[in-house]
Amino acid sequence: PRQANPSIPSRSLPARQPANVLEEARTRLHVSSVPESLPCREQEFQDIYSFVESKITDGTGGCMYISGVPGTGKTATVHEVIRCLQHAADADQIPPFTFVEINGMKMTEPHQAYVQVLQKLTGQKATADHAAALLERRFSKPAPRKETTVLLVDELDLLWTRKQNVMYNLFDWPTRRHARLVVLTIANTMDLPERIMINRVASRLGLTRMSFQPYTFKQLQQILTSRLNKLKAFEEDALQLVSRKVAALSGDARRCLDICRRATEICELVGMGHVMEALNEMFSSAYVAAIRSASLQEQLFLRAVIAEFRRLGLEEATFQQVLLQHQALCRVEGLPPVGVSEGLAACLRLGACRLLLLDSSRLGLLMRVRLNASQDDVLFALKAD
Amino acid sequence: MSKRKAKDASLPVGECVAKLQEILRGRICRQQTPARPEGLEAQHKHLLDLLRRTAVHGESNSVLLVGPRGAGKTTLLQCALRDLLQDEEARRNLLQVHLNGLLQTSDGAALKEITRQLQLENVVGDRVFGSFAENLAFLLEALRKGDRSSSRPVLLVLDEFDLFAQHKNQTLLYNLLDASQSAQAPVAVVGLTCRLDVLELLEKRVKSRFSHRQIHLLSSPTFPQYLERVRARLSLPRDFPDGQFARDWNGSVESLCEDKCVREVLHRQFISTSDFRSLHLLLMFCLSRVSVSRPTLRASDLLEASRLCFTDANANMLHGLSILELCLVIAMKHLDDVYQGEPFNLQMVHNEFKKFLQRRSNSLYHFETPVIMQAFEHLQQLELIRPVDGSSAKCQKEFQLMRLMLDHSQVLEALQKYPQCPTDVRQWAASAFGWM
């Protein structure tokens, strides 16, 4: 309606500053406190920097595709490159440029990309079609004293449409003679251009590609050490354990930082034990605990499921078959026999927390039952108590 | 009025019972937040610490509360929030947004709700202006402009979290979790879900942004603890106006919990499920039998309530059938036994029924085909039988293949309890089951 100024109301008192070593460590370990320069990504930084810098100084345009699994520092590295380039531009070492960033996940549908780019470039509001036309004109017409634009497109795979015109335009504009546009695109999978793009789009994206490898344990350890920066909150071995565990699973730096942060909440000086506790908390599956905390009838039902699977030699049975086993088990255990309604209720409760996978419950006795955890897990959980 | 203030004043029984019903019903039906969460102290501390760090230090966090239905997830959160808001600083700063996956079925609706509850600037009165895209941009801009130490922390509670994971692209979750992982206005995202596999529902990039903090509510009580819980639910508080009545009542509850019969009933309930909600249902049945003429709980009330809770719905339905329909059910059971679970149609059932008539009975149950068909259709309407494939239009009614949705035990129980069941029908049924 009017020129609004989006903001969250401000606090009456500023937030408390960290009071002791652990709180300080916790603040530094938060994923949001990105350091000035990212450790272990020097090579990638250099490559992207020289690519963008050469395009800016030559006044030409181009595309680059950056891929890598989540949490490997893609967006942070690009932001760092841009920050350094801004410094260089402020010091008059390179011509000035404008930086625009869009994120595929932060818009409701692909065509919103035009609207957001236009708004960030000129502050103008327009509909998607109109914005596309305006941008088209801007990038194809020659204009004196035009600055280079660096456009960062994060989560590129979300911009896919059936005709792929959004991607096509994004990659086509840099090839225009007067565009002076550098497009940096980021996505997770390495083979995205081959997989989802039609030929003319993939060809315009070009072959300048870079992939971010998952962090190795040494790199993760280095990241943690540099974040903590001589703060005495962690034992050396504890850090190594976290980095080795995370590197073995995913190499996601966010995970590493989150685990360390959780470990600081558990205790004072963080040792191996606390890190183990945090690791178990965040990686372990809850199925075993859930089975152990289930009621006796629910446990019996699970046992009946396994007994029936063994009898059939299949991984699927109808509720009626399982119920027969359940009633037999009740007799063996000396419990009052379960009725159909009671058995069904137990089955549905197990289905609601996804220990079992079920058909729609309208099928009643004919509903098919499958296990969501492995049989070994279930047996282990049932045996241990 | 002065009587009421005196500590041990005795009130008329009617008033006492009304007061008692008010207190206990409030406790049982309206899910009042208890003074402290029972059996969940560690989880409570973890959650409270986390929320406090967000409210006081401006740290962004995300956490999932996972536990089966009726395990006390909402209660735990309410307890933690209540304890948190006793702190002056937290109360003045924290902004709360409550969303529910059943109400906010799309990201657009959820976003409008967030904007409304935060009272951002594009809200006038209760209406939110702008399209979905504009609202999203507005909210993100608002969050981005904030920073850790100066803007008020936002607590986002996502009830039925797993339903939010089914939205298109998981845009909302990505943005909320991304905000909790970047240097913006501090947000705490608290999700409540009963699915253990909730992390597998998240997309890879959304999952990476989630802090993988899960608080599991999976501790189950032992039977003595369960009994203690029943006692706590039923006993009257110390400040009950009529001291004598309260003492009597608590005494009766105490002796009730010692009763062997009652213990058996409660144990049966306990091994069936140990969650709060089914217990509340049981207690509610008992409580509704307390009246002015009989202001105590008796063991028979609890037995009756347990019987109500454990009755089999389908067997109940069988009691209301006519003899003809019951005969058809028995015929179907015969077919089920002979052909080992193969589906049947009306013709086969009718034949089986005819065989019964020829062999045993006098001509009491000779019905015309349309009557039989009517009875068959009635059974189908009650969903006691069910067509094998849903397409009913393709095939004539008599030849449509059906399956019986009843278990042996249910038919047997119904036969035994059926009022004035003819002997020959009973014998015929017995010949089917063999061991009746």
Side-chain angles (χ1 to χ4, degrees), chain A residues 5 9 11 15-16 30 105-106 155 157-158 252 254-255 261 265 282 293 295 297 349 362-363, chain B residues 53 59-60 89 145 149-150 152 169 174-175 178 205 208 210-211 213 218 271-272 383 405:
Chain A
N5 173 31
R11 310 171 61 112
R16 271 187 222 159
H30 198 281
M105 274 302 241
K106 295 192 177 176
E155 312 290 2
D157 48 331
L158 267 301
D252 187 337
R254 289 196 189 106
R255 200 66 332 100
R261 203 153 59 84
E265 289 165 17
M282 294 173 122
S293 76
S295 71
Q297 292 288 9
R349 275 198 298 275
R362 276 196 70 189
L363 287 173
Chain B
R53 275 200 305 279
E59 185 181 290
S60 294
E89 193 182 341
K145 272 196 188 156
S149 59
S150 66
R152 292 174 69 175
N169 288 344
Y174 177 92
N175 286 308
D178 194 55
R205 51 191 148 214
S208 167
F210 172 59
S211 74
R213 239 178 243 263
L218 290 174
I271 60 172
S272 171
E383 294 205 7
M405 308 280 287

Side-chain angles (χ1 to χ4, degrees), chain B residues 372-432:
Chain B
I372 304 254
M373 190 135 99
Q374 184 102 43
F376 197 74
E377 272 171 14
H378 187 224
L379 288 178
Q380 191 178 348
Q381 277 164 7
L382 294 175
E383 294 205 7
L384 295 176
I385 53 176
R386 197 185 163 83
V388 171
D389 48 351
S391 56
S392 53
K394 278 181 199 160
C395 182
Q396 259 179 299
K397 270 179 198 161
E398 297 96 309
F399 304 109
Q400 197 175 14
L401 287 176
M402 297 286 200
R403 268 183 207 284
L404 186 60
M405 308 280 287
L406 290 169
D407 195 51
H408 273 300
S409 55
Q410 287 172 314
V411 181
L412 273 182
E413 196 199 325
L415 268 174
Q416 276 157 4
K417 288 187 184 160
Y418 195 84
Q420 290 160 358
C421 181
T423 320
D424 45 358
V425 171
R426 203 173 279 229
Q427 280 168 348
W428 178 44
S431 75

Side-chain angles (χ1 to χ4, degrees), chain A residues 108-352:
Chain A
T108 50
E109 57 108 34
H111 291 98
Q112 286 293 320
Y114 300 131
V115 180
Q116 295 203 358
V117 172
L118 185 72
Q119 192 179 9
K120 282 170 185 167
L121 274 178
T122 63
Q124 219 172 334
K125 266 191 182 176
T127 61
D129 290 339
H130 190 207
L134 287 176
L135 285 174
E136 177 76 38
R137 200 179 315 151
R138 182 187 166 99
F139 287 125
S140 45
K141 266 196 189 157
R145 300 174 48 88
K146 193 174 188 175
E147 284 184 353
T148 302
T149 312
V150 180
L151 175 62
L152 169 63
V153 186
D154 214 340
E155 312 290 2
L156 177 72
D157 48 331
L158 267 301
L159 294 186
W160 187 88
T161 52
R162 223 158 52 77
K163 288 167 98 178
Q164 307 195 359
N165 42 6
V166 178
M167 283 182 178
Y168 179 85
N169 277 334
L170 283 180
F171 302 146
D172 191 43
W173 289 332
T175 60
R176 310 277 168 80
R177 228 173 76 211
H178 307 288
R180 293 192 159 206
L181 176 67
V182 184
V183 179
L184 302 172
T185 56
I186 300 182
N188 289 142
T189 47
M190 201 152 72
D191 57 347
L192 189 79
E194 284 74 29
R195 218 155 29 84
I196 69 166
M197 293 181 199
I198 46 180
N199 285 338
R200 61 192 146 93
V201 177
S203 122
R204 277 172 176 77
L205 174 57
L207 292 169
T208 323
R209 299 201 189 163
M210 163 175 289
S211 77
F212 278 59
Q213 297 304 318
Y215 288 114
T216 62
F217 92 88
K218 278 204 174 129
Q219 291 172 327
L220 285 175
Q221 203 176 352
Q222 198 182 333
I223 291 172
L224 289 177
T225 334
S226 77
R227 283 259 179 143
L228 286 171
N229 193 17
K230 300 198 194 96
L231 210 60
K232 269 270 143 237
F234 275 82
E235 285 173 19
E236 202 58 34
D237 289 350
L239 287 185
Q240 193 176 98
L241 179 68
V242 175
S243 0
R244 280 191 187 266
K245 279 270 188 189
V246 173
L249 275 165
S250 60
D252 187 337
R254 289 196 189 106
R255 200 66 332 100
C256 215
L257 294 168
D258 281 333
I259 292 168
C260 289
R261 203 153 59 84
R262 174 69 189 129
T264 61
E265 289 165 17
I266 298 177
C267 70
E268 295 294 316
L269 178 71
V270 181
M272 289 287 264
H274 310 114
V275 168
M276 267 322 268
E277 201 178 324
L279 273 167
N280 281 337
E281 217 172 85
M282 294 173 122
F283 280 136
S284 69
S285 111
Y287 286 106
V288 173
I291 293 171
R292 280 186 193 160
S293 76
S295 71
L296 190 57
Q297 292 288 9
E298 285 159 10
Q299 289 181 350
L300 277 185
F301 191 87
L302 282 175
R303 239 183 249 179
V305 169
I306 289 186
E308 187 60 23
F309 284 178
R310 294 234 165 119
R311 191 180 72 83
L312 293 172
L314 295 172
E315 293 280 286
E316 185 178 278
T318 65
F319 171 69
Q320 192 167 21
Q321 292 167 323
V322 178
L323 186 72
L324 280 180
Q325 295 277 0
H326 189 181
Q327 284 165 341
L329 276 174
C330 276
R331 250 171 267 137
V332 171
E333 300 276 328
L335 296 171
V338 285
V340 179
S341 290
E342 200 185 341
L344 191 61
C347 177
L348 292 178
R349 275 198 298 275
L350 291 171

